[in-house]
Amino acid sequence: MTTVDAPHSTRSVLLTVAEVVDETADARSIVFDAPQNFHYLPGQFLTLRIPSERTGSVARCYSLASSPHGSEPPKVTVKRTYDGYGSNWVCDNIQPGDVVEALPPSGRFTPKDLDDDFYLLAAGSGITPVMSILKSALSEGVGKIALFYANRDENSVIFGRELRTLAAEYPHRLAVQHWLESLQGLPTVDQLSTLASPYRERHAFMCGPSMFMDAAHKGLASSGFPRNRVRREIFVSLVGDPFVDVTEAEVSETEVTEAGVTESPVHEDDATAVVELDGETHTLTWPRSKTLVDIMLAGGLDVPYSCREGECGTCACTMTEGEVKMENTEILDDEDIADGMILGCQARPVSDHIEVRF
């Protein structure tokens, strides 16, 4: 049995496994007892702390496949991947009664309005966050939903029975199209464009392997989907340890005054950041060597972040004025950057005045 005596981070939550469900031969859902005050949005993910003999632990992000609306307990669905240490460990080891350490739910792969009409695209285990959005929109919204779901073969379809049940329950709102590589080959850009064309007035959400995502992204663009109506989710394995608390010494330069009060010094070359977060505006001094996440943590703000490596996208925000430089931007595409999107954990100031909105 896996037990966690105490969390490794002040941000961590401890989750007790209520049930383990075999979805397919290589995919399992981990259902948790819902702890008090555990809140998440449709499409968000959990970062789990997984034991490792080599490094002590590794961090892996897994989408919540459950809907936060109604009585459904939170669950993540994990599919084995070749040489995937995290996914194989979860599938081989986690049992009911185990206690798992996780960071709070994160992610921006969430609809703004569940009443919208949606075109959802998923491949393989990419169905997990899409399923959360689909169930939430059906139960809480009024719009229509079309799902395109690609898999290797019929035995690889995750949530097949649940999708059939939902399609029967909402016959006038939900249309599900399965695509099997064993019968139809891999979907091409042209095929995806043709299939997406009737839905180009809707909001699109897509998740899956990189090859599928690239083809779907190009197919939606070719079909005439506006860029601002397309959202995609990308996960990579995290290298660092997001379960280690960031100390004030790591995020700010401080000095002690004669009165014994510790404060952040202001230097001539510092920039100014005006940050809009949760409807409130904060003005912060931004040293050139620090990231946006650094200065927000130093300022006591509840900044959304997980990995601090530029890999998970949790700290993504929109820059409305100014210029920054970033080391790692692989999770953002050219259109994201053109729209002013930046990663708070990678952004360092270039201009003297910068305004951002979370």
Side-chain angles (χ1 to χ4, degrees):
M1 176 174 289
T2 300
T3 59
V4 179
D5 296 328
H8 294 76
S9 165
T10 56
R11 298 188 299 135
S12 295
V13 293
L14 299 182
L15 301 174
T16 301
V17 177
E19 185 181 6
V20 177
V21 180
D22 290 325
E23 302 288 358
T24 66
D26 57 2
R28 307 183 91 188
S29 287
I30 313 301
V31 184
F32 300 106
D33 287 327
Q36 193 173 12
N37 298 323
F38 184 82
H39 302 295
Y40 64 99
L41 298 174
Q44 288 193 310
F45 62 86
L46 287 178
T47 303
L48 304 185
R49 186 177 188 271
I50 296 171
S52 169
E53 294 180 356
R54 292 176 297 174
T55 61
S57 70
V58 295
R60 294 293 184 266
C61 301
Y62 298 114
S63 292
L64 286 149
S66 50
S67 168
H69 303 284
S71 59
E72 183 181 15
K75 73 176 180 182
V76 297
T77 302
V78 181
K79 183 178 180 179
R80 293 180 185 274
T81 57
Y82 179 73
D83 277 346
Y85 174 81
S87 62
N88 289 326
W89 188 92
V90 169
C91 290
D92 289 337
N93 292 279
I94 290 186
Q95 298 296 328
D98 288 352
V99 177
V100 179
E101 183 176 358
L103 293 179
S106 299
R108 301 176 66 256
F109 189 68
T110 60
K112 290 183 179 179
D113 189 346
L114 291 175
D115 285 330
D116 285 335
D117 294 329
F118 295 103
Y119 184 49
L120 309 177
L121 301 97
S125 60
I127 189 64
T128 51
V130 167
M131 193 69 172
S132 179
I133 294 170
L134 183 152
K135 290 187 290 187
S136 298
L138 287 175
S139 67
E140 302 300 309
V142 298
K144 293 185 176 181
I145 304 166
L147 168 67
F148 174 89
Y149 186 20
N151 280 283
R152 184 175 58 251
D153 52 42
E154 189 173 357
N155 293 329
S156 303
V157 178
I158 303 172
F159 308 134
R161 181 179 301 176
E162 190 172 6
L163 285 170
R164 288 192 295 272
T165 300
L166 289 169
E169 185 177 354
Y170 298 94
H172 302 297
R173 293 183 56 205
L174 175 63
V176 179
Q177 179 176 20
H178 289 282
W179 184 285
L180 302 180
E181 181 185 344
S182 59
L183 299 177
Q184 299 157 283
L186 292 172
T188 66
V189 172
D190 288 343
Q191 288 169 326
L192 289 166
S193 176
T194 300
L195 293 170
S197 290
Y199 308 110
R200 57 176 173 264
E201 299 302 320
R202 299 188 181 188
H203 291 265
F205 286 77
M206 57 181 174
C207 185
S210 58
M211 284 183 60
F212 171 78
M213 296 276 276
D214 289 343
H217 192 269
K218 293 175 183 176
L220 290 177
S222 176
S223 72
F225 254 94
R227 173 66 186 85
N228 61 2
R229 287 178 176 263
V230 178
R231 297 289 293 276
R232 61 177 186 166
E233 182 69 304
I234 300 175
F235 287 130
V236 296
S237 295
L238 305 183
V239 177
D241 187 358
F243 289 90
V244 175
D245 280 329
V246 180
T247 65
E248 185 175 343
E250 290 178 288
V251 299
S252 64
E253 300 172 1
T254 60
E255 62 182 18
V256 180
T257 67
E258 290 182 3
V261 178
T262 302
E263 58 183 27
S264 297
V266 177
H267 302 296
E268 257 185 53
D269 194 39
D270 289 345
T272 299
V274 178
V275 179
E276 182 182 330
L277 176 68
D278 297 329
E280 297 183 356
T281 300
H282 309 268
T283 301
L284 304 170
T285 299
W286 193 350
R288 305 284 174 175
S289 62
K290 302 297 181 181
T291 69
L292 180 59
V293 166
D294 289 340
I295 65 162
M296 291 179 69
L297 288 173
L301 301 183
D302 188 19
V303 54
Y305 77 98
S306 287
C307 71
R308 301 184 78 212
E309 301 169 13
E311 300 289 3
C312 71
T314 302
C315 63
C317 55
T318 301
M319 181 173 60
T320 57
E321 184 176 331
E323 181 183 356
V324 299
K325 59 182 178 182
M326 295 183 287
E327 293 180 12
N328 181 9
T329 60
E330 289 186 9
I331 199 169
L332 302 178
D333 57 32
D334 292 339
E335 291 92 343
D336 291 330
I337 295 173
D339 289 341
M341 190 172 292
I342 64 173
L343 298 175
C345 71
Q346 298 295 300
R348 290 178 170 83
V350 173
S351 57
D352 294 331
H353 181 85
I354 297 156
E355 296 183 12
V356 298
R357 181 178 65 250
F358 282 84

